[in-house]
């Protein structure tokens, strides 16, 4: 494998990239189904059934990307995994409890006796909310270099709210694709109402990141980087405008452009994520530990990579199959 | 309590809660495939009714397994950073292969298996059922490879305090893996057999005489009767393997203090570790030597060999291992008597479930969860039996624990426990609720009699 140069260099980079892509896919995919849960209080009981039907066949696989992402952190950068997760001990616990509640509520709400359904619907909402908030909180803490002061916690509280609103926004965009009629109309309003969260969230993280670290500041605001990177914020602004315009044209009789908002929202998530990845590289624990210092032994990474090259395209293939089988407007979920 | 003890309880509670559900889904996936294949072959709706009822149980159990499993993948980092820092080069790839070859397969095809019946061709639905079953089994394979390696590590070398792989073949096929994997897969089969028999008996007692209850009752009882002798044999083999590689665990299981011959089999005892004696022993002379060495003169290892000259105890806590082991074996024999009794009565005069007396039907209902009891007791035996080691001879549990304030661990432990108790009650409640609903004829039936393969696509929506 000398072909690619020193494996102690390209292997950690490859794994950081794989992990980054997994986190991004997770944030987009579970983002929309968490968002659907967060929107529960605004829907009627029949609409709640339809909302769950739109994510029912997918949520399990969506969450698996979190397991892969955290698994890659665990296996490729074990020391970083320990440092990051012990620093985020409480938000992680809250997220896990949230994930447990919403995951089982999917099943219990339709299998438990009918009088209990309202409780499980409520737990589905609470679980989705806890998960979104704690993920936003962790994002904030990470941006703040995992430091624990009053200021960093306040910032993390703010990102918690923004990320939750952003999730509900992308969730609403998903519902626009998967639903029709009154619910679709509502989803358009929810999406419009959620754009501010996305914009403020992007703004807060983009402004805070370079201010916290002089290293990151220099990475962005020196010549020629500032020119090369200009497309990121510019494209983001364009995407927000496109998103807003596409929402203005919905709902309509032919359902034209109903996939637009979701596509623009995903692009925004990707742009935001690329910015963050650029800022933090090469650090996996901000300002403390680089991916090269934290990486596992090359022989262990090689054997994982060999498997990943074979398996990940297959995962992509059958994930696409599942989305294709359940394409089009959602219908009531049934076992027959 | 200190962080170490609280962290151990927390991980123990999480993994105990978690294992309940994979134990069901691993074997239930294959049973569902069996139902589906029988339906494909006979076109008989009773098989599809059975499938539809049990696929609900599968979906619920799967969700419980997924969410409790995610919890554990995080706790490696939040509570046990020393584990991955020391043996991450070995554990990492094994866990990665579990995610890549099992988790995605199960999670993606589960959607098609549950909700795709009327959306995809029959063969694809059958294939999805197969792939989900295959995925759960692959998952069991990888995690048991890792767990077995923690008991009987090989194929690695230590460099600067960190384990590095030298032979993946030796790591994967470590000495206890074949026994542990077979023992666990059989445990899963038995858990499902008794769950199916138990819930079918419950439906029967409520007056359900549908064809689908007949077939599930037979499936459960015959499956249990077939697997339990295999399991007893495999358990014995696994015990002998443990004797070879972890004698201190066997010493604790037997409650044997000194290495000697003619060791009795203790049926009852209160092991007192401080005083280094057993109180109130009820014993069968020579029997432990005979079981472990196949002769009365056989030497059985004793606990006192595993106390260092400085007085440091390097054997597991005796009482929990001793008692867990007895609970597992006792449950196993209860399974043997019940499944063989019911199977013989059902076969006699070919009367099926009608040949089973009411008292026996009643006994089957609580035995629905006997697999859980035996599985947990077995895991406590082997895992507590590994203490004070986390990875036998390589890393102690104490060295791996995170430096998290005890109140943090205590608070989250309280929260997890509360949720687990509530969810477990909800889960069991819903199983019986689903069974009662099935008695009332909830299972949808085709409006017109159908036959043959065409059925798959034509069962109308209610």
């Amino acid at each position: 494998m000398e072909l690619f140069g020193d494996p102690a260099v390209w292997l950690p980079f490859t794994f950081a990239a794989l992990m980054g892509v997994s986190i991004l896919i997770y944030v987009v995919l579970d983002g929309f189904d968490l968002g659907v849960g967060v929107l529960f209080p605004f829907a009627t009981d029949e609409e709640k059934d339809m909302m769950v039907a739109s994510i029912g066949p997918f949520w399990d696989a969506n969450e698996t990307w979190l397991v892969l992402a955290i698994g890659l952190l665990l296996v490729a950068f074990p020391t970083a995994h320990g440092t990051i997760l012990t620093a985020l001990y409480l938000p992680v616990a809250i997220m896990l409890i949230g994930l447990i509640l919403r995951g089982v509520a999917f099943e219990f709400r339709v299998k438990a006796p009918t009088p209990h359904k309202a409780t499980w619907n409520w737990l589905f909402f609470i679980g989705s909310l806890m998960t979104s908030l704690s993920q936003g909180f962790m994002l904030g803490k990470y941006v703040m270099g995992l430091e624990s002061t009053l200021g960093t916690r306040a910032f993390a509280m703010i990102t918690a709210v923004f990320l939750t609103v952003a999730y509900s926004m992308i969730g609403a965009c998903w519902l626009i694709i998967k639903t029709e009629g009154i619910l679709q109309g509502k989803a358009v309003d929810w999406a419009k109402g959620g754009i501010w969260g996305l914009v403020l969230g992007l703004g807060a993280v983009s402004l805070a990141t370079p201010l916290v670290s002089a290293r990151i500041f220099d990475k962005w605001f020196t010549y020629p980087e500032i020119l090369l990177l200009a497309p990121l914020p510019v494209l983001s602004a364009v995407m927000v405008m496109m998103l807003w315009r596409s929402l203005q044209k919905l709902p309509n009789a032919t359902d034209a452009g109903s996939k637009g908002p979701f596509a623009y929202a995903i692009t925004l998530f990707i742009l935001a994520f690329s910015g963050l990845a650029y800022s933090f590289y090469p650090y996996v624990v901000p300002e403390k530990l680089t991916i090269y210092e934290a990486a596992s032994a090359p022989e262990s990474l090689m054997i994982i990579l060999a498997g990943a090259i074979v398996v990940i395209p297959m995962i992509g293939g059958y994930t696409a199959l599942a989305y294709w089988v359940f394409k089009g407007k959602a219908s009531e979920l049934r076992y027959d | 309590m200190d962080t170490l003890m609280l962290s151990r309880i927390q991980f123990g509670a999480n993994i105990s809660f978690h294992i309940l559900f994979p134990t069901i889904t691993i074997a239930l996936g294959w049973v569902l495939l069996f139902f589906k294949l029988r339906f494909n072959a006979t076109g008989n709706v009773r098989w599809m009714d059975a499938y539809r009822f049990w696929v609900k149980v599968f979906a619920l159990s799967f969700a419980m397994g997924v969410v409790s499993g995610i919890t554990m993948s995080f706790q490696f980092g939040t509570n046990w950073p020393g584990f991955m820092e020391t043996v991450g080069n070995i554990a990492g790839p094994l866990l990665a292969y579990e995610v890549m070859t099992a988790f995605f397969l199960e999670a993606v095809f589960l959607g098609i298996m549950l909700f795709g019946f009327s959306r995809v061709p029959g063969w694809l639905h059958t294939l999805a059922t197969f792939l989900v079953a295959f995925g759960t089994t692959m998952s069991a394979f990888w995690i048991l490879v890792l767990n077995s390696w923690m008991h009987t590590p090989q194929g690695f070398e230590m460099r600067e305090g960190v384990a590095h792989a030298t032979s993946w073949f030796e790591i994967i096929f470590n000495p206890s893996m074949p026994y542990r994997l077979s023992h666990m897969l059989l445990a899963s089969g038995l858990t499902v057999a008794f769950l199916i028999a138990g819930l079918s008996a419950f439906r029967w007692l409520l007056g359900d005489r549908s064809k689908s209850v007949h077939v599930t009752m037979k499936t459960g009882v015959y499956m249990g009767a077939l697997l339990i002798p295999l399991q007893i044999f495999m358990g014995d083999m696994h015990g002998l393997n443990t004797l070879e590689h972890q004698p201190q665990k066997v010493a604790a299981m037997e409650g044997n203090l000194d290495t000697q011959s003619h060791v009795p089999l203790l049926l009852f005892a209160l092991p007192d570790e401080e005083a280094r004696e057993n109180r109130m022993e009820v014993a069968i002379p020579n029997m432990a030597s005979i079981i472990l060495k196949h002769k009365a003169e056989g030497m059985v290892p004793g606990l006192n060999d595993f106390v260092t000259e400085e007085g440091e105890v390097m054997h597991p806590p005796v009482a929990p291992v001793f008692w867990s082991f007895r609970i597992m074996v006792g449950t196993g024999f209860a399974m043997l008597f019940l499944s063989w009794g019911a199977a013989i009565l059902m076969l006699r005069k070919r009367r099926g479930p009608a040949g089973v007396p009411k008292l026996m039907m009643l006994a089957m209902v609580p035995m629905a969860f006997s697999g859980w009891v035996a599985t947990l007791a077995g895991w406590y035996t082997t895992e507590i039996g590994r203490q004070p080691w986390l990875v036998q001879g390589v890393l102690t549990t104490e060295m791996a624990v995170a430096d998290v304030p005890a109140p943090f661990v205590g608070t989250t432990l309280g929260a997890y426990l509360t949720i687990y108790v509530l969810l477990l009650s909800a889960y069991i409640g819903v199983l019986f609720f689903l069974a009662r609903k099935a008695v009332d004829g909830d299972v949808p039936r085709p409006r017109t009699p159908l036959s043959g393969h065409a059925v798959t696509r034509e069962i109308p929506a209610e």
Side-chain angles (χ1 to χ4, degrees):
Chain A
M1 279 301 173
E2 288 304 311
L3 192 63
F4 300 104
D6 183 2
V9 173
W10 65 265
L11 266 175
F13 183 82
T14 307
F15 273 85
L18 270 179
M19 184 172 79
V21 170
S22 305
I23 294 175
L24 179 61
I25 294 177
Y26 170 75
V27 167
V28 168
L29 293 184
D30 213 30
F32 80 69
D33 73 51
L34 284 166
V36 169
V38 171
L39 290 166
F40 245 42
F42 306 111
T44 66
D45 284 349
E46 293 76 39
E47 288 167 351
K48 284 177 185 147
D49 287 342
M50 196 45 75
M51 286 160 77
V52 169
S54 79
I55 53 179
F58 311 113
W59 74 272
D60 247 335
N62 293 350
E63 269 183 16
T64 309
W65 289 98
L66 176 64
V67 181
L68 180 64
I70 203 68
L72 285 171
L73 178 64
L74 180 78
V75 303
F77 310 105
T79 42
H81 181 261
T83 314
I84 294 173
L85 290 187
T86 42
L88 298 173
Y89 191 84
L90 286 183
V92 164
I94 293 172
M95 176 185 77
L96 293 174
I97 291 171
L99 284 173
I100 292 174
L101 288 178
R102 73 185 295 273
V104 299
F106 264 105
E107 296 295 330
F108 279 121
R109 61 185 292 286
V110 287
K111 296 194 174 63
T114 320
H116 298 175
K117 188 170 177 179
T119 310
W120 288 110
N121 276 342
W122 188 77
L123 285 171
F124 182 66
F125 162 68
I126 291 292
S128 306
L129 187 66
M130 282 167 73
T131 309
S132 310
L133 286 173
S134 50
Q135 286 179 0
F137 187 88
M138 289 190 260
L139 171 67
K141 280 289 279 278
Y142 189 85
V143 166
M144 290 285 138
L146 295 173
E147 297 292 334
S148 219
T149 65
L150 200 62
T152 61
R153 255 174 275 166
F155 179 78
M157 299 273 187
I158 295 170
T159 51
V161 173
F162 291 159
L163 188 74
T164 305
V165 178
Y167 278 174
S168 71
M169 215 294 302
I170 198 169
C173 293
W174 174 255
L175 288 174
I176 294 172
I177 301 178
K178 301 301 279 187
T179 62
E180 345 172 56
I182 300 171
L183 179 55
Q184 192 190 31
K186 276 188 167 180
V188 172
D189 291 339
W190 293 335
K192 285 178 187 165
I195 290 186
W196 65 269
L198 200 60
V199 173
L200 288 179
L202 282 174
V205 172
S206 310
L207 288 178
T209 320
L211 291 182
V212 171
S213 151
R215 185 188 59 82
I216 296 176
F217 188 93
D218 289 343
K219 273 183 100 169
W220 285 84
F221 301 105
T222 46
Y223 189 81
E225 279 79 3
I226 192 161
L227 274 186
L228 295 171
L229 292 166
L232 269 180
V234 172
L235 258 180
S236 302
V238 172
M239 280 302 134
V240 172
M241 273 162 54
M242 304 272 279
L243 179 60
W244 181 252
R245 281 177 42 130
S246 66
L247 285 170
Q248 298 298 328
K249 296 184 189 137
L250 286 163
N252 58 55
T254 55
D255 210 35
S258 69
K259 294 192 178 74
F262 190 63
Y264 299 129
I266 291 182
T267 315
L268 268 170
F269 273 70
I270 295 174
L271 290 170
F273 190 85
S274 315
L276 274 179
Y278 174 76
S279 294
F280 284 102
Y281 178 81
Y283 287 91
V284 57
V285 181
E287 312 303 319
K288 291 200 182 74
L289 196 63
T290 67
I291 54 174
Y292 305 104
E293 294 158 355
S296 298
E299 73 269 12
S300 292
L301 293 181
M302 276 309 292
I303 196 145
I304 303 176
L305 189 63
I309 288 169
V310 178
V311 175
I312 288 186
M314 287 167 69
I315 294 174
Y318 56 69
T319 304
L321 173 72
Y323 277 85
W324 181 77
V325 165
F326 296 99
K327 67 182 183 298
K329 299 293 178 188
S331 52
E332 190 197 345
L333 286 182
R334 35 188 323 123
Y335 287 102
D336 46 14
Chain B
M1 262 190 279
D2 61 351
T3 302
L4 172 65
M5 200 59 208
L6 285 167
S7 299
R8 278 185 62 196
I9 296 176
Q10 178 161 336
F11 197 77
N14 285 333
I15 206 162
S16 300
F17 181 72
H18 173 70
I19 195 62
L20 300 178
F21 305 103
T23 304
I24 289 178
T25 51
I26 292 164
L28 189 52
W30 295 106
V31 173
L32 286 171
L33 181 65
F34 169 72
F35 288 160
K36 185 74 208 286
L37 290 174
R38 292 302 297 155
F39 171 70
N40 288 350
T42 63
N44 199 323
V45 194
R46 69 183 68 167
W47 294 107
M48 212 52 215
D49 284 349
Y51 185 95
R52 278 201 208 95
F53 178 82
W54 284 99
V55 85
K56 287 181 191 164
V57 176
F58 186 91
L60 186 59
S61 313
F62 194 90
M64 301 277 274
V66 167
V67 295
S68 52
I70 293 178
T71 313
M72 287 194 318
S73 69
F74 277 87
Q75 285 189 343
F76 283 137
T78 53
N79 296 61
W80 306 102
F83 177 69
M84 289 308 284
E85 280 160 21
T86 312
V87 298
N89 288 328
I90 315 287
L94 299 177
L95 289 169
Y97 271 82
E98 184 183 9
V99 178
M100 292 192 301
T101 62
F103 287 173
F104 277 104
L105 200 65
E106 311 171 68
V108 172
F109 283 100
L110 181 74
I112 297 176
M113 170 177 161
L114 294 182
F115 308 119
F117 187 74
S118 54
R119 283 178 181 256
V120 298
W123 65 266
L124 182 52
H125 184 255
T126 307
L127 180 67
T129 309
F130 165 75
L131 288 172
V132 170
F134 178 73
T136 54
T137 309
M138 281 306 282
S139 172
F141 171 78
W142 289 113
I143 203 68
L144 281 157
V145 165
L146 173 55
N147 181 273
S148 300
W149 184 83
M150 289 161 64
H151 286 269
T152 51
Q154 65 171 26
F156 71 104
E157 62 185 20
M158 298 300 287
R159 279 186 243 145
E160 292 162 23
V162 175
H164 286 258
T166 52
S167 160
W168 283 101
F169 185 86
E170 282 188 25
I171 290 169
I172 294 175
F173 297 95
N174 65 75
S176 64
M177 189 278 279
Y179 301 97
R180 199 181 310 276
L181 178 64
S182 317
H183 201 40
M184 182 60 205
L185 291 179
L186 285 167
S188 172
L190 283 164
T191 303
V192 167
F194 279 86
L195 183 68
I196 293 178
L199 280 193
S200 305
F202 179 71
R203 285 171 65 173
W204 184 273
L205 287 166
L206 290 181
D208 189 343
R209 297 291 181 271
S210 62
K211 297 281 186 219
S212 84
V213 160
H214 274 85
V215 299
T216 54
M217 186 78 191
K218 281 192 207 165
T219 307
V221 169
Y222 294 153
M223 190 174 157
L226 201 69
L227 294 182
I228 188 72
L230 290 176
Q231 180 68 314
I232 291 171
F233 174 71
M234 186 45 72
D236 184 48
M237 302 275 287
H238 191 192
L240 294 177
N241 179 263
T242 307
L243 177 65
E244 189 181 336
H245 296 280
Q246 294 174 301
Q248 75 279 22
K249 189 192 293 183
V250 173
M253 283 154 69
E254 300 296 347
N256 185 38
L257 288 159
D258 292 305
T259 301
Q260 56 194 332
S261 63
H262 300 277
V263 173
L265 177 69
L266 300 180
L267 297 179
F268 184 94
L270 297 176
D272 185 339
E273 222 177 295
E274 296 295 310
R276 302 208 76 76
E277 62 176 20
N278 293 320
R279 282 180 282 127
M280 302 173 72
E281 282 188 1
V282 179
I284 305 177
N286 298 337
M287 203 57 197
S289 286
I290 292 173
I291 291 175
L292 290 164
K293 297 283 182 172
H294 304 293
K295 54 177 188 254
E297 297 78 40
M299 295 290 278
V300 173
L303 291 161
N304 290 341
D305 285 8
F306 300 92
V307 180
T308 60
E309 282 176 19
E310 293 80 42
E312 199 185 354
V313 176
M314 293 309 278
H315 64 70
V318 183
V321 175
F322 180 87
W323 276 109
S324 305
F325 178 64
R326 271 149 193 75
I327 291 171
M328 176 188 75
V329 172
T331 313
F333 279 100
M335 287 172 151
L336 178 71
F337 296 133
L338 188 65
S339 61
W340 277 60
I344 289 166
L345 289 170
M346 276 165 54
L347 284 170
R348 213 172 55 176
K349 298 181 196 156
R350 298 176 155 265
R351 290 185 63 206
V356 179
K358 193 172 171 200
L359 205 64
M360 201 169 218
M361 283 281 184
L362 277 172
M364 278 190 203
V365 179
M367 283 292 280
F369 301 102
S370 55
W372 277 2
V373 175
T375 303
L376 283 182
W379 274 111
Y380 291 156
T381 307
T382 196
E383 296 294 287
I384 300 175
R386 191 190 53 220
Q387 300 302 326
W389 298 103
L390 181 56
V391 179
Q392 178 79 38
V394 176
L395 176 70
T396 61
T397 312
E398 198 180 350
M399 282 177 352
V401 75
D403 185 22
V404 178
F408 275 29
V409 187
T411 316
T412 49
L413 171 62
Y416 285 126
L417 284 180
T418 314
I419 288 180
Y420 291 159
V421 168
L422 292 176
L423 288 183
L424 199 57
S425 345
Y427 176 84
I428 295 175
V430 165
L431 286 194
F432 284 103
F433 172 73
L434 287 175
R436 214 174 303 131
K437 228 168 64 164
V439 178
D440 300 336
D442 171 68
V443 175
R445 301 179 160 282
R447 286 187 204 113
T448 45
L450 299 161
S451 63
H453 295 273
V455 169
T456 27
R457 299 305 306 278
E458 287 175 16
I459 291 178
E462 283 173 279

